[in-house]
Amino acid sequence: MSAIPSPQNRELGTETGNAESVVPEGRSPVFGVRNLWKVFGPKADRIPGDRELTGLSQSELRTRTGCTAAVRDVSFDVRKGEVFVVMGLSGSGKSTLVRCLTRLIEPTSGSLEIDGEDVLAMDKTRLRELRRHRASMVFQHFGLLPHRSVLDNVAYGLEIQGVAKEERRKRASEMVAKVGLEGLEQRRPGQLSGGQQQRVGLARALATDPEVLLFDEPFSALDPLIRRDMQEEVIRLHREEGRTMVFITHDLSEALRVGDRIALMRDGEIVQLGTPEEIVGSPADDYVRDFVRDVPREQVMTVRTAMRAGDCGGSEHPGALTPDTVVADAIEAVASSGRPACVVEAETCLGQVDQLTLLRVVAGLDRDDREEVAA
């Protein structure tokens, strides 16, 4: 697997199961989801309220009721400015879940809010505004209009909003340049590569200046090199704009690359919710542990996890590393200097790392084991 960028601004505290996430003071959630269910089948609305039925497995529920619970009692918050990844294997419920956020699929029960407003109570007019102005979706299968130019495809959402032609074309041109397609404005989708077509879809979503971007496995149809380029594009856009993003994927390496937090789903439930480092470093159960087994830990774990806490003494901090430095980079720095390195934040030494403590992290030993060995 390719190198994974070090986590930025990630908060500690792994959330497992369907526990509600805690939004830090001053950071209100964009989406607030509580006890959300989506059940397909006859008399689906009876399932969430029946404790006997909710305790059944997927296969038992289908056999007994003819229903499938695609989303089962899910709760989480999407924080403003974060990339929130929902991942899982095919059939885990991730795509159904993201479609419930804007009621492209109607939830069976639960509560769903955007900026504190009840999404389930929205009438058709308010719901249309949500989809056109506040939350834009980028799909796997581009959805471009083949008879329109790149520029007119990007401007399409603005046209639906009733924006004047001159203004929407100006805005569309800016977005075309932002995603790296300048000079291709007059081409048709059929004249573009798959990666270029997906960039058009991304520019179209950005053109309406939505509060949140929803990505439904947007890069799964692309070849690996183009897919990596598009992942980098999402990371770049997020870094430049700080826009809230909800990203659906079945690919663990992709989730680790782009996500601030990851909700890992299985059979409609969230089995663990946390930062990439938390999920790789502290799997909630055997299913998650097996999922992350082949992840190169040194590319995900940081020196914040690896360090021996405590001030290293003195005003000088040899080989100073930031807390978010990944272990792979720290190993290289320590090996080059031949001595331990300080972990420094705001000119304060938080602790030290050396080759032994770093290699113990790579080996997957927990903190108690590492401290015992270091002693």
Side-chain angles (χ1 to χ4, degrees), residues 69-86:
V71 176
R72 301 171 66 107
D73 197 24
V74 166
S75 298
F76 62 90
D77 289 317
V78 176
R79 301 166 183 166
K80 186 174 180 62
E82 77 171 331
V83 181
F84 185 89
V85 174
V86 182

Side-chain angles (χ1 to χ4, degrees), residues 278-340:
E278 290 162 356
I279 287 177
V280 171
S282 303
D285 58 19
D286 288 342
Y287 178 78
V288 182
R289 192 170 294 107
D290 189 56
F291 223 102
V292 303
R293 180 179 54 196
D294 297 326
V295 173
R297 293 170 59 87
E298 68 275 11
Q299 299 286 0
V300 179
M301 307 301 291
T302 68
V303 295
R304 189 190 298 274
T305 301
M307 69 183 182
R308 296 197 306 271
D311 196 316
C312 43
S315 58
E316 295 185 3
H317 305 304
L321 303 169
T322 66
D324 288 330
T325 302
V326 293
V327 166
D329 293 340
I331 290 174
E332 184 176 344
V334 169
S336 297
S337 67
R339 58 180 180 174

